[in-house]
Each structure stands twice: as C-alpha cells, then as structure tokens.
C-alpha cells in the first residue's frame, strides 16, 4: 500500500516499554482517578464482607471489581449480566459432566478439551463472544480441579461457593459503578444491535477453527504436563493459555507479556506484604489499608488503554491470590512461586503454538484495517457537496466521523502490536511496516482536518461561499478522496498526483479571484498538502 505522502514524519508508534510509552499509558485523568477509586472501594468492601462472613474464595471475590469494571455504567452492567449468565451455565454444565467424569480421567480429559475448543470457537464466531468463552473456561477450570477434591460432596459445595463468591463480588461492583460513575448520554442507543447470533463468516472461515484448536493444544499440553509431574500448583499455566489467546500472534504475545509483568509486580507486592507486613497485622483495619494501597496501584494500571490495562488485572489477581489463602495471615511463599512459574510456562507454550501453527499475523490485520479507514476517510472528504442540503451533509458527517475514528484507533492498535512479531522478519517486512505506519500517521492528520471541516463554524463558512467556490472546493476534495481510495487499493497511477495538482491550482485561482479568506481555506490546503 502506498503512503499518502512521502515527506518524513516523526515516529507515530511509541516503542513498547519505553519511558514515553509509560508516560502516555499511565497519564492521569479525572475519569481514571474516579474509576480507580471505585475499584479500591469495591475491593475493600469485598474483603471486609468475605472476612466477616467467612465466604470462601476471597481472592476471587476481591478480584471481581477489576475484572468487571468498565469505562461506563452500561458496559459494566452488561459485563456483569453476561458474566453471571456464563458462570451459571458453565457451573451447571460442569456439575452435569461430573456425573460421568468424576474419578474417570479418561473421560474428563477429552471433556476438558472439547469444552476449551467450543469456548474458544464461540469466542470468535458468537456475537456475544465473551459469553461463549466464559462458559467454556468455567467448565474447563472446574473440571481440572476434580481430582484434587476427596469427595463429590465437597466438590459440589466448593463449586457452588465459588458461584456465590463471584456473583456477589460482581454484583457489588456493578452497584458501585452505577452509583458513582457519571452518566454517558445515549450510550446504549449507539451500541450496534446484533441481527444474528453468529458472525457472517462463522461457518466458512477456517481461521476460527484453527484458533480454537491452537488454544486447545496449548492448554491441554500444559494440563497434562503439570498433572504428570504432580505439580498442580502451576495450574495457572492452563489459565494463561486460555486468557491470553487473541486474534493474532502479536496480540497474544503482547497480552502474555502484560500478564507476566503484572504477575511479577503483584507477586512482589504480595511477597513484601507476607514477609514484612503480615507479622505485624493484628486487626482487619491494617489489612484494609494494605488492600487499598495494592488495589490503587492495580486499578490505576487497569483503567488505562487496552495496551496496558491487562497488566493491572494481573497485578490485582497475583496479589490477592498470593495473600488470601484463608481467614488468617499466611506466610507460605509457595503460591507466589507457583503462580509465576505457571504463567511463564503457559506463556512459552502459547507463544510457540501461535507462532508456528497456523499463525495469524497482525500486520495483515493492520493492512485490512488501514484500507477500511482510508475508504471511510475518502467518503468523509467528499462531504459536503454543492448539490446536497446542509442538513443531509451534517447527518452524513455525524454518522461517519465516529465510525472512521474507531477504525483508525483499531489500525493504530494493530500497528503497535506488529512490533511483537517482527523480531525475525526479513528487511522487506520491516520496510512494509514502516510504510504502513507512515500512511497511518498522514491519514490521521487528514482525518483531524476533515473533522474540523465538519464543525459549526466550518458549516457556516461553507454556506456563505459563492457557488463557484463551492464547486471548486468540492472538486478538489473529490480528487483528494480518489487519491486516498487509490492508496487504499495500492493503486499508484502516475496521473493521480497530476490530477490533484491541477484541481488544487484551479481551486486556488478561484479562491483568490473571489477573495475568499476563512478557516476552511487553511484546512483544505492542509488536506491537500498531506494527501499529495
């Protein structure tokens, strides 16, 4: 794909893990501070309630505020509802399976494999993908602990208590977010309403099946290995394989590194707490202070962009999982070690599987997303036209701008994730990535200018333009849009630049003759400069 402009630009993609990258990802905002405070309050309340009533699985309950909290009331409530439905169905299916698999590993292991495969396949093809994933994961996770429980009665009681621990933690999180998060106007009305249960290529795209098979292979390999060596303490390997698996190799490796980094930080906080603080804790008040401090660190990271937020979830889970092993202080450090080893093992296995078996490359997704973004940008540039009403033009721009911005955000995410795949790529692939990043950067600058042409002042200036000026500007923007469409289609005809120069010269002459001077002139000139 050709770049929109050949002039040099500053690097648009910050290197992962650089100081500038951390400054951007950890930058404070009022919304971030509010969401972090809600997470801290919810985690502290979960700890107090569970310690007072002695509800089992305290570590899981305390983790729910981080897992369920989203950037808005609607998304948090939706996540809570989907999570509760998936949890209930998954536990119900698992209890039914135990009638046949308890005490029969020859049935349990194939059952786990089938559950993982179906859950991961549904996560890609089902419109409510997280629901399918959650059902498959809950079935697999509960089946994997069957042999560790001495009797069926204790197993059933433990699983049902797990439902209680997760459900009330999720419910408390939803309530606090509903009470204290600010309202987002008409949020649910802008959410797309699915017309079908499955995505359009659910039963025709082999990549969905390949993805599910890869995750199943990695997860079951880890499970069989740690059971064979009798080291069930590293069961986080199986969890890692299922949770870090994403749509491409780069995204999977990126999430794996976030999981590992978060685990190390959370484990270090837990280690410090167990060794230096717990021996001096005598009341729940001191425990609450420690939980609040750790939750604030985890929450601040978790409320960042998706490029870093998963690390915050892992900080929280590693800390709670290591610190809360009962209702009394625990100085056993084995859990910290086992969790780190399990995550590292799962990360290595998943990385190897996704890298060498049916790899889905992020750079291919970047090309597709950039093509779509450029086509949407081209449509935006052609608004308004002299022969259409201003009301219609405003409506078209109002619908197209958010859609185009979202596509550009997705393309930028892919651009950042490609760095996790190119360490051993040939120079040609690196050159291709550089061209794509340059094109993306230039196109984003055009988008900013095109968006400015759709504000109230720009609309008023358009209305006041003489008919000849409207025609000249519309023709220039149309030629620029075709130039962008050719870039999207990798069409590098030599006449493209000549046509744009001719249209630009004609527009300039018209504006000078009519003595038109306003902000639209500067914005249109900026667009032409970036596109040519």
């Amino acid at each position: 794909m050709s770049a929109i402009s050949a002039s040099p630009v500053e690097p648009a993609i910050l290197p992962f893990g650089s100081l500038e990258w951390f400054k951007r990802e950890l930058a404070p905002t009022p919304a971030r501070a509010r969401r972090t405070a809600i997470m801290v309050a919810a985690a502290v309340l979960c700890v107090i309630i569970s310690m007072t009533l002695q509800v089992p699985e305290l570590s899981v309950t305390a983790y729910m505020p981080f897992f369920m909290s989203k950037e808005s009331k609607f998304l948090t409530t939706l996540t809570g509802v989907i999570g509760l439905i998936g949890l209930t169905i998954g536990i119900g299916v698992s209890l039914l399976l135990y009638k046949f698999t308890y005490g029969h590993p020859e049935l349990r292991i194939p059952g786990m494999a089938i559950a993982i495969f179906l859950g991961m396949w549904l996560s890609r093809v089902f419109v409510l993908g997280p629901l399918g994933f959650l059902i498959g994961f809950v079935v697999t996770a509960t089946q994997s602990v069957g042999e560790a429980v001495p009797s069926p009665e204790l197993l059933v009681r433990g699983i049902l208590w797990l439902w209680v621990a997760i459900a009330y933690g999720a419910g408390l999180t939803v309530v606090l977010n509903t009470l204290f998060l600010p309202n987002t106007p008409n949020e649910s009305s802008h959410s797309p309403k699915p017309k079908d249960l499955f995505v359009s290529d659910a039963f025709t795209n082999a990549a969905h099946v390949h993805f599910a098979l890869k995750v199943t292979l990695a997860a079951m390999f880890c499970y069989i290995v740690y059971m064979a060596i009798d080291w069930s303490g590293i069961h986080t390997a199986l969890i890692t394989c299922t949770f870090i698996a994403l749509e491409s190799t780069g995204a999977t490796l990126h999430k794996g590194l976030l999981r590992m980094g978060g685990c190390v930080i959370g484990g270090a906080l837990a280690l410090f707490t167990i060794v230096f603080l717990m021996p001096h804790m005598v009341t729940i008040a001191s425990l609450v202070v420690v939980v609040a401090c750790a939750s604030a660190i985890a929450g601040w990271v978790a409320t960042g962009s998706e490029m870093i937020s998963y690390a915050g979830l892992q900080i929280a889970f590693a800390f709670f999982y290591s610190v809360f092993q009962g209702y009394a202080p625990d100085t056993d450090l084995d859990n910290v070690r086992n969790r780190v080893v399990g995550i590292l093992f799962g990360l290595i296995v998943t990385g190897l599987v996704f890298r060498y078996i049916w790899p889905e490359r992020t750079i291919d997704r970047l090309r597709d997303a950039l093509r779509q973004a450029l086509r949407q940008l081209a449509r935006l540039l052609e608004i308004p036209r002299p022969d259409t009403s201003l009301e219609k033009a405003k409506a078209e721009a109002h619908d197209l701008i958010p859609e185009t911005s979202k596509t550009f955000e997705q393309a930028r995410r892919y651009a950042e994730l490609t760095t996790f795949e190119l360490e051993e790529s040939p120079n040609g692939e690196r050159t291709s990535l550089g061209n794509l990043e340059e094109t993306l950067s230039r196109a984003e600058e055009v988008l900013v200018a095109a968006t400015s042409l759709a504000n109230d002042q720009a609309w008023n200036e358009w209305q006041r333009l003489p008919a000849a000026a409207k025609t000249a500007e519309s023709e220039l923007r149309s030629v620029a849009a075709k130039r962008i469409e050719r870039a999207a289609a990798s069409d590098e005809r030599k006449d493209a630049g000549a046509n744009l120069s001719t249209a630009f010269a004609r527009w300039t002459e018209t504006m000078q003759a009519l003595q038109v001077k306003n902000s639209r002139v500067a914005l249109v000139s900026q667009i032409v400069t970036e596109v040519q």
Side-chain angles (χ1 to χ4, degrees):
M1 185 184 298
S2 64
I4 293 178
S5 175
S7 57
V9 295
E10 296 182 358
I13 309 301
L14 295 177
F16 177 80
S18 66
L19 180 59
E20 293 77 11
W21 186 87
F22 276 112
K23 286 181 178 180
R24 183 191 70 184
E25 296 297 332
L26 298 177
T29 63
R32 190 172 200 169
R34 182 188 291 266
R35 289 186 60 204
T36 301
I38 292 173
M39 289 182 182
V40 172
V44 167
L45 286 175
C46 286
V47 170
I48 293 174
I49 294 172
S50 291
M51 293 290 284
T52 302
L53 302 179
Q54 295 196 351
V55 180
E57 304 294 344
L58 171 56
S59 60
V60 178
T61 304
Y63 176 64
M64 283 301 102
F66 302 88
F67 185 74
M68 292 290 178
S69 294
K70 305 300 177 184
E71 59 269 19
S72 66
K73 294 181 180 181
F74 174 76
L75 289 178
T76 302
T77 303
L78 181 63
T79 302
V81 172
I82 291 177
L84 186 59
I85 294 173
L87 175 67
T88 304
I89 295 175
I91 285 181
V93 171
S94 189
L95 291 177
L96 179 62
L97 285 178
Y98 269 129
K99 290 176 62 68
F100 309 98
T101 62
Y102 186 78
H104 297 280
E106 70 278 5
L107 297 177
R108 187 183 70 256
I109 293 177
M112 290 173 57
I114 293 173
I116 294 176
F117 175 83
L118 290 177
M120 302 311 297
W121 181 72
L122 286 174
S123 72
R124 295 257 303 213
V125 305
F126 199 45
V127 171
L128 294 176
L131 178 61
F133 165 79
L134 188 58
I135 293 173
F137 173 75
V138 170
V139 173
T140 303
T142 51
Q143 289 289 309
S144 68
V145 300
E147 295 301 312
V149 182
S151 72
E153 180 181 356
L154 292 176
L155 179 61
V156 172
R157 287 174 59 87
I159 292 177
L160 293 179
W161 270 116
L162 177 65
W163 184 95
V164 172
I166 295 177
Y168 103 78
L172 181 61
T173 302
V174 171
V175 169
L176 289 179
N177 277 270
T178 302
L179 291 175
F180 297 108
L181 269 186
N183 291 320
T184 304
N186 302 322
E187 178 184 4
S188 59
S189 63
H190 293 296
S191 302
K193 304 298 188 295
K195 298 179 180 179
D196 300 306
L197 290 177
F198 296 93
V199 298
S200 57
D201 63 347
F203 303 101
T204 58
N205 190 348
H208 301 319
V209 176
H210 293 166
F211 172 77
L213 287 174
K214 289 188 292 186
V215 179
T216 303
L217 172 62
M220 293 310 299
F221 176 82
C222 291
Y223 174 75
I224 291 173
V225 167
Y226 72 66
M227 291 300 291
I229 63 177
D230 194 23
W231 195 3
S232 59
I234 63 171
H235 65 276
T236 47
L238 184 147
I239 299 173
T240 297
C241 293
T242 55
F243 266 87
I244 70 171
L246 290 175
E247 71 275 4
S248 66
T249 303
T252 299
L253 295 177
H254 167 257
K255 193 172 183 180
L257 288 178
L258 291 181
R259 181 174 174 85
M260 190 63 203
C263 174
V264 170
I265 296 173
L269 291 175
L271 184 65
F272 178 82
T273 301
I274 292 172
V275 174
F276 296 103
L277 301 181
M278 275 196 171
H280 306 287
M281 291 183 183
V282 293
T283 65
I284 194 173
S286 56
L287 178 62
V288 164
V289 173
V290 172
V291 169
C293 293
S295 298
I297 297 173
W300 191 265
V301 179
T303 52
S305 73
E306 62 178 328
M307 296 302 296
I308 197 174
S309 59
Y310 190 67
L313 272 63
Q314 290 309 302
I315 293 173
F317 192 51
F319 177 80
F320 293 134
Y321 184 85
S322 302
V323 170
F324 295 122
Q325 300 300 319
Y327 307 109
D330 187 3
T331 57
D332 186 3
L333 301 180
D334 289 346
N335 287 305
V336 180
R337 176 202 63 193
N338 292 344
R339 178 171 174 77
V340 173
V341 172
I343 289 177
L344 183 60
F345 180 41
L347 177 59
I348 293 173
V349 172
T350 305
L352 291 174
V353 169
F354 272 70
R355 191 176 185 89
Y356 295 108
I357 301 178
W358 296 311
E360 294 184 76
R361 302 167 69 242
T362 308
I363 195 169
D364 296 330
R365 290 180 176 268
L366 170 59
R367 292 190 180 100
D368 293 338
L370 187 53
R371 289 190 189 100
Q372 182 182 356
L374 291 176
R375 293 189 182 103
Q376 292 172 337
L377 179 59
R379 288 169 51 199
L380 180 61
L381 278 183
E382 293 188 291
I383 302 172
R385 305 172 186 85
D387 56 345
T388 58
S389 66
L390 188 62
E391 290 72 19
K392 183 178 179 180
K394 286 183 178 180
E396 290 179 359
H398 180 269
D399 293 337
L400 190 56
I401 288 175
E403 180 183 345
T404 306
S405 298
K406 185 176 181 181
T407 308
F408 270 102
E409 289 175 5
Q410 186 65 64
R412 178 161 293 281
R413 174 177 176 268
Y414 288 143
E416 295 193 18
L417 293 177
T418 52
T419 57
F420 293 89
E421 295 181 350
L422 298 175
E423 288 79 2
E424 300 177 2
S425 297
N427 291 332
E429 195 70 15
R430 294 179 183 273
T431 302
S432 176
L433 175 60
N435 292 337
L436 292 173
E437 289 180 353
E438 182 182 349
T439 300
L440 174 60
S441 177
R442 291 298 186 185
E444 286 181 324
E445 293 178 9
V446 175
L447 176 61
V448 172
T451 303
S452 298
L453 284 176
N455 61 29
D456 291 337
Q457 179 182 348
W459 291 126
N460 293 333
E461 291 173 348
W462 168 260
Q463 280 186 302
R464 292 194 296 267
L465 285 177
K470 287 184 179 180
T471 301
E473 181 191 312
S474 180
E475 290 177 353
L476 176 58
R477 287 188 282 103
S478 180
V479 173
K482 288 182 173 60
R483 173 88 162 125
I484 292 176
E485 288 177 347
R486 288 178 178 177
S490 300
D491 183 356
E492 301 186 42
R493 293 186 220 172
K494 294 182 179 179
D495 64 339
N499 291 340
L500 184 62
S501 298
T502 301
F504 183 57
R506 185 161 50 246
W507 171 79
T508 302
E509 291 175 1
T510 302
M511 291 304 190
Q512 289 177 348
L514 296 174
Q515 295 183 347
V516 176
K517 296 180 180 180
N518 54 37
S519 61
R520 288 190 70 89
V521 174
L523 290 172
V524 172
S525 298
Q526 179 183 346
I527 290 173
V528 174
T529 301
E530 297 297 340
V531 171
Q532 65 185 1

